[in-house]
Amino acid sequence: MQFALLIYESPEAFATRINDETDPYIGAWRSYYKALVEAGIYVGGDPLEVPETGTTLRLKEGKRRVQDGPYADTKEQLGGFIILELPSLDAALDWAARCPTASAGAVEVRPLAPESKRRIT
Amino acid sequence: MNGSGQENTHREIERVARESYGRLVAYISSHTRDVASAEDALSHALIAALTAWPRDGLPQNPEAWLLTTARHAITDQVRHQRVVLASEPTLLLLRESGAQAMLSTEFPDERLKLLFVCAHPAIDPAIHTPLMLQTVLGLDAARIARAFLISPKTMGQRLVRAKTKILDGGIQFEVPHERELPNRLEAVLEAIYAAFGIGWDDMAGIDQRGRDLAEEAIWLARVLLELMPGEAEVRGLLALMLHCEARRPARRGPDGRYIPLSAQDPRQWSLPLIEEAERHLAEASTHRRTGRFQLEAAIQSVHAERAHSGRTEWAAIVLFYEQLVHISPTIGTRTGYAAAVAEASGPEAGLPILDAIDQRAVSDYQPYWAVRAHLLQRLGRAPESSEAFNRAIGLAEDPAVRQFLLQRRS
């Protein structure tokens, strides 16, 4: 079964993206990514650009509302996602605990909903 | 009652709860086989104590008071369920000698039976440790879930399922017969060790699961030793955990930095804990029945020697590992063996031991990659070493360990 790891990062963690390659946070992420691939469980995923680059849209009573920035006004923001193929939630939590962002933000583990996908495609 | 008096009473309730919880749950459930209702009844009694004791003063025998109150709670519960007929024997058992129990603590200690029930072969091994922590120590499911990195809801459900199995599956509250004892005891020891959670702790290869529960694991081992003083492996397990616990303060620098065993300052090790571990190990060796935990404790004992001699006798560690791998050829012991051989005879001697381990089995076993990286680095095989460091860093859970390995790699 497939799980999404939703990576929530602090402003400090986002700031490391402008740093050079030798930043330990980036180094830890590179190793984590390799460990996922080598373990044969990595399905896909990507980092997202910083939250300020987001644009949020709503349609209210036929009118478009467009707002600069992310949907939720919280300190920690969605910074990326990873899709993993694993036998159980327990295994997904084990891998989430190894994610470098688990100690610098938060990682939400959520099963993918393949049934819903089947109904709409 | 004034504020500090109330505080004292609260502290007394906590102390009694901690010391008596397992004894009371074990005693009640060994009659009813219903662990869940024994726990419910006891928490009911503890809540009642919070009201009654500050008001009326501490009872002369707090444990007996809790038992009587818990008994009443179960009687009420059974009446509510309107299954009086089926539960008549239970009620009789619970009523028997109720009056005497008020005056004496002379009810038998059934915790040993409860420990064997928790680690019964009919129960999923993954839930043995959580069951012990809950039924013998009274830890709540949320805290156990945190330590084992399982969602609190899932942990709660698994505990309930296991208790239902104990009740419905005909699992007996008994100490196994001589013939089965070694295997059954091994399961109990494994479960206690899993709560301690520190596998093999050199070169930043750490199996950290359950690390918040070290004190609880040592407490459980002490209870088990009290109940089975003649079992060498029980002493071996306690000695092993005490040795590891003795080094806890030395494993982190003042800035939170990870410090591997070889770089630790022995002056920061706890001598009283080491001495206690040595006493248990010496006592265990008089039984002349060696076993996995005694061997692991002996390895830690050699490491502890460095506090006196200033050096580590790696050849002795290799000898103990040879025996350990022979009786328990797990990935963990083989990885430890490889590291010890590399220290004693050079990295080129340790590496083939790692190479012989099936790669698929170690795809998520962090210590293997940490040791492999270290040995390849010492052999000057930089690209391969860097690959192995990547795996070890990617699999590390502790940020301090991750940081340490990142520095080692460069």
Side-chain angles (χ1 to χ4, degrees):
Chain A
M1 90 190 266
Q2 296 194 342
F3 292 89
L5 306 194
L6 305 173
I7 318 291
Y8 289 91
E9 291 183 283
S10 63
E12 298 76 36
F14 277 111
T16 61
R17 297 191 182 191
I18 52 166
N19 293 358
D20 61 49
E21 296 271 294
T22 59
D23 189 289
Y25 183 63
I26 293 174
W29 258 103
R30 192 176 296 124
S31 296
Y32 181 59
Y33 171 75
K34 284 187 178 153
L36 293 172
V37 173
E38 293 286 343
I41 57 171
Y42 182 78
V43 177
D46 264 310
L48 300 175
E49 281 291 355
V50 294
E52 299 80 70
T53 62
T55 308
T56 304
L57 174 107
R58 284 183 183 82
L59 280 181
K60 283 244 168 90
E61 293 152 9
K63 287 204 181 85
R64 293 173 182 178
R65 302 261 178 88
V66 180
Q67 168 200 322
D68 284 327
Y71 161 69
D73 185 22
T74 53
K75 189 171 161 283
E76 281 155 355
Q77 289 285 346
L78 189 63
F81 63 93
I82 300 171
I83 313 285
L84 300 177
E85 176 74 47
L86 287 165
S88 66
L89 172 64
D90 294 3
L93 287 173
D94 279 345
W95 282 100
R98 294 163 176 151
C99 174
T101 308
S103 55
V107 181
E108 180 179 342
V109 179
R110 247 216 258 165
L112 264 58
E115 277 307 300
S116 316
K117 190 179 173 189
R118 192 176 53 77
R119 281 203 293 274
I120 57 172
T121 49
Chain B
M1 186 179 271
N2 61 30
S4 84
Q6 212 145 32
E7 213 172 276
N8 282 341
T9 314
H10 271 259
R11 222 174 294 140
E12 184 62 13
I13 292 171
E14 263 175 43
R15 192 189 63 78
V16 174
R18 179 160 172 109
E19 281 173 16
S20 310
Y21 191 92
R23 277 165 54 85
L24 290 166
V25 167
Y27 177 65
I28 298 170
S29 57
S30 68
H31 285 301
T32 63
R33 295 226 324 275
D34 189 342
V35 177
S37 79
E39 287 175 323
D40 285 348
L42 192 53
S43 45
H44 181 93
L46 286 166
I47 291 167
L50 282 173
T51 328
W53 295 3
R55 187 190 57 213
D56 309 336
L58 280 182
Q60 215 169 17
N61 184 339
E63 207 172 42
W65 190 98
L66 287 173
L67 178 59
T68 308
T69 312
R71 270 184 173 146
H72 288 316
I74 288 193
T75 316
D76 288 349
Q77 193 188 338
V78 172
R79 286 213 188 95
H80 270 300
Q81 288 167 345
R82 295 174 185 283
V83 285
V84 178
L85 254 181
S87 300
E88 206 62 59
T90 309
L91 281 180
L92 285 174
L93 268 173
L94 289 168
R95 222 177 283 137
E96 99 194 316
S97 70
Q100 283 104 316
M102 283 295 281
L103 302 168
S104 102
T105 43
E106 293 304 309
F107 64 90
D109 190 343
E110 306 284 23
R111 283 178 297 180
L112 188 58
K113 292 178 185 169
L114 183 58
L115 285 167
F116 277 111
V117 164
C118 291
H120 193 277
I123 293 171
D124 175 9
I127 204 76
H128 289 177
T129 310
L131 258 182
M132 277 181 190
L133 292 168
Q134 187 161 66
T135 62
V136 184
L137 297 180
L139 262 53
D140 66 82
R143 175 150 178 233
I144 301 169
R146 250 196 333 268
F148 286 86
L149 203 64
I150 286 174
S151 98
K153 198 172 80 187
T154 311
M155 181 56 88
Q157 288 165 346
R158 284 179 196 171
L159 284 164
V160 168
R161 218 177 299 142
K163 286 173 204 167
T164 309
K165 181 138 194 194
I166 293 169
L167 182 60
D168 298 341
I171 292 176
Q172 296 302 315
F173 276 72
E174 61 190 8
V175 175
H177 300 295
E178 200 79 35
R179 191 164 37 85
E180 305 169 352
L181 192 62
N183 280 337
R184 295 285 309 277
L185 181 60
E186 170 86 17
V188 172
L189 296 172
E190 283 288 347
I192 294 175
Y193 192 43
F196 192 75
I198 291 161
W200 179 71
D201 90 323
D202 200 9
M203 296 185 199
I206 297 193
D207 185 8
Q208 305 148 350
R209 208 45 47 75
R211 61 191 173 282
D212 314 339
L213 298 174
E215 263 178 54
E216 277 74 12
I218 290 174
W219 174 282
L220 279 175
R222 286 192 199 283
V223 168
L224 186 59
L225 182 62
E226 195 185 308
L227 300 168
M228 298 191 106
E231 289 293 334
E233 276 291 86
V234 177
R235 283 192 198 274
L237 173 65
L238 182 56
L240 168 61
M241 295 195 295
L242 290 170
H243 265 307
C244 294
E245 193 60 16
R247 296 202 284 262
R248 186 173 297 275
R251 279 213 294 267
R252 287 283 188 275
D255 49 356
R257 187 167 48 90
Y258 169 77
I259 301 174
L261 177 54
S262 55
Q264 285 170 18
D265 177 359
R267 283 170 302 182
Q268 284 182 294
W269 296 346
S270 160
L271 281 179
L273 287 181
I274 291 175
E275 279 161 14
E276 193 193 345
E278 288 299 307
R279 275 199 305 277
H280 287 300
L281 197 52
E283 170 67 32
S285 69
T286 63
H287 296 278
R288 308 209 164 277
R289 276 198 314 273
T290 183
R292 181 203 147 183
F293 289 108
Q294 290 167 78
L295 286 168
E296 291 206 37
I299 290 167
Q300 298 312 322
S301 163
V302 179
H303 282 300
E305 263 301 299
R306 181 156 67 86
H308 303 294
S309 67
R311 56 190 298 271
T312 305
E313 201 59 64
W314 284 103
I317 293 179
V318 168
L319 286 177
F320 286 130
Y321 262 119
E322 274 167 7
Q323 295 181 59
L324 187 56
V325 168
H326 184 68
I327 60 171
S328 168
T330 63
I331 302 171
T333 56
R334 290 164 76 187
T335 302
Y337 177 48
V341 168
E343 292 298 329
S345 318
E348 65 285 351
L351 200 57
I353 299 168
L354 291 181
D355 287 337
I357 300 175
D358 182 3
Q359 295 278 301
R360 280 166 304 180
V362 292
S363 69
D364 61 356
Y365 186 64
Q366 197 265 355
Y368 173 89
W369 296 102
V371 173
R372 190 174 183 85
H374 180 68
L375 300 196
L376 287 164
Q377 191 172 53
R378 281 179 58 196
L379 287 167
R381 288 157 67 172
E384 291 165 277
S385 158
S386 167
E387 252 333 282
F389 267 119
N390 268 331
R391 301 285 295 273
I393 294 162
L395 290 168
E397 200 178 303
D398 184 332
V401 168
R402 197 184 289 136
Q403 198 59 35
F404 170 82
L405 290 167
L406 277 162
Q407 278 161 5
R408 270 278 169 103
R409 184 180 59 179
S410 50

